[in-house]
Amino acid sequence: MPYAYVPSLVLLTAALVLLALLLVRVYREVRRFQGVQQRVVRDVGDRSGLLKARVAGLRVAFAERRRT
């Protein structure tokens, strides 16, 4: 029985290959999620900047209206 360990080595190799494939897939999904997250942060920042500009414009308009 010198080859009794061969099935264990085959199973270990298969498990390591599956683990590597799973890690590659998870890494890709994490990178994709980070890209989406960056776009959302940028979009929210742009929208909040526009909202601040509108509020500032309204304050100026109200101030001018009060003066007249």
Side-chain angles (χ1 to χ4, degrees):
M1 294 277 172
Y3 301 108
Y5 57 87
V6 172
S8 296
L9 288 177
V10 170
L11 286 175
L12 179 64
T13 304
L16 289 175
V17 168
L18 288 174
L19 179 63
L21 291 173
L22 180 65
L23 288 175
V24 167
R25 185 170 181 176
V26 167
Y27 177 74
R28 286 180 183 165
E29 291 298 322
V30 167
R31 296 280 296 180
R32 185 172 152 226
F33 177 76
Q34 287 176 341
V36 170
Q37 182 183 18
Q38 289 173 354
R39 282 180 287 209
V40 167
V41 167
R42 193 177 326 125
D43 186 48
V44 168
D46 290 345
R47 289 176 185 263
S48 67
L50 290 172
L51 183 60
K52 288 178 185 178
R54 287 180 183 170
V55 169
L58 287 172
R59 286 182 183 161
V60 169
F62 287 142
E64 287 178 356
R65 187 171 177 143
R66 286 181 192 149
R67 287 183 198 149
T68 59

